[in-house]
Amino acid sequence: MEAFDRRHLKEAPPRTSYPADADVERLVERASPMIGRIVQFLAQTGMRQEEAVSLEWSQVSIERREVRLTKTKTSAPRVVPLSDKALGTILGTPRHPTGTYVFWYDAGQRYSSFASQYRNLANRTGVPWRCHDLRYKFASEFLQRTGDLPALQAILGHRTVSMTMRYAHILTAHLHEAMAKFGTNVGTSKAVPECREGGQASVSC
């Protein structure tokens, strides 16, 4: 088994947007079948690229609909549950007769330079997103649909919730609720009251 490569596990700074489904589809259409499956799987699970390309069948439980990661950036094992789409990607991936990796090429070896292969694919398709942005896409959409920050923290494998909060900038419902409680209407500004001194209006109080 090859050593786990940590060079590609750097966390990126927070983004203000993420790839659309159409962007992922464009990447998959121009990729080789196996590279396309990796792209889909990253967008469907939020896993880091190194975690995905080093995934072995022994870590996959179809019955439990999950994968168990033992080699992670934080060195802490974690379980990633599989959605219907992610499970479909796994089930549709052909197994190598003798290889152990879920995603493989040639004689069953794992992708050791997936980062550069993704960059080349993105350049060919004109998709302006980094591979890490697929993780960002998953996290942002998960939060929008569930609002479950602790669950997302566990799925992504962050040690602190502050790391996961980088993906929560799109969630604004709780901000609007707080503002409504404060007593103003969303989308309007509250007039600044005038202070009067000797009958003359003043902007400072």
Side-chain angles (χ1 to χ4, degrees), residues 2-184:
E2 293 187 29
F4 189 60
D5 190 347
R6 298 177 182 272
R7 292 176 300 172
H8 306 303
L9 294 183
K10 295 180 180 179
E11 291 287 356
R15 287 280 196 152
T16 57
S17 58
Y18 55 83
D21 290 342
D23 295 315
V24 177
E25 291 172 2
R26 286 168 59 191
L27 290 169
V28 173
E29 288 173 356
R30 295 291 299 275
S32 66
M34 195 62 77
I35 291 290
R37 290 187 178 280
I38 298 175
V39 169
Q40 287 178 316
F41 195 67
L42 291 173
Q44 293 162 351
T45 63
M47 288 169 56
R48 299 178 179 93
Q49 64 180 35
E50 187 66 13
E51 294 169 342
V53 298
S54 63
L55 185 65
E56 299 185 49
W57 282 109
S58 60
Q59 300 169 251
V60 178
S61 174
I62 301 300
E63 295 76 16
R64 295 176 61 86
R65 297 170 60 99
E66 65 185 29
V67 298
R68 184 171 296 276
L69 301 180
T70 57
K71 309 168 188 177
T72 67
K73 180 183 178 181
T74 61
S75 298
R78 77 178 191 275
V79 171
V80 177
L82 301 175
S83 64
D84 289 344
K85 289 184 178 179
L87 184 63
T89 298
I90 286 285
L91 291 174
T93 301
R95 295 197 185 198
H96 188 273
T98 58
T100 62
Y101 294 106
V102 174
F103 304 109
W104 53 274
Y105 70 99
D106 288 348
Q109 58 261 51
R110 53 156 287 180
Y111 288 88
S112 58
S113 58
F114 182 77
S116 60
Q117 290 172 301
Y118 175 87
R119 283 195 298 270
N120 292 336
L121 173 62
N123 289 336
R124 292 199 310 271
T125 57
V127 172
W129 300 104
R130 303 167 303 173
C131 187
H132 181 82
D133 291 325
L134 298 174
R135 178 170 163 90
Y136 198 90
K137 171 182 173 63
F138 168 83
S140 298
E141 292 181 348
F142 182 93
L143 276 180
Q144 289 181 77
R145 295 176 187 176
T146 70
D148 195 333
L149 195 61
L152 180 61
Q153 179 186 354
I155 292 171
L156 295 182
H158 289 153
R159 287 177 173 169
T160 64
V161 72
S162 61
M163 291 290 292
T164 314
M165 282 297 294
R166 298 179 313 156
Y167 299 93
H169 71 281
I170 295 178
L171 287 182
T172 60
H174 67 294
L175 301 180
H176 290 295
E177 291 173 3
M179 187 59 72
K181 293 178 181 178
F182 180 70
T184 61

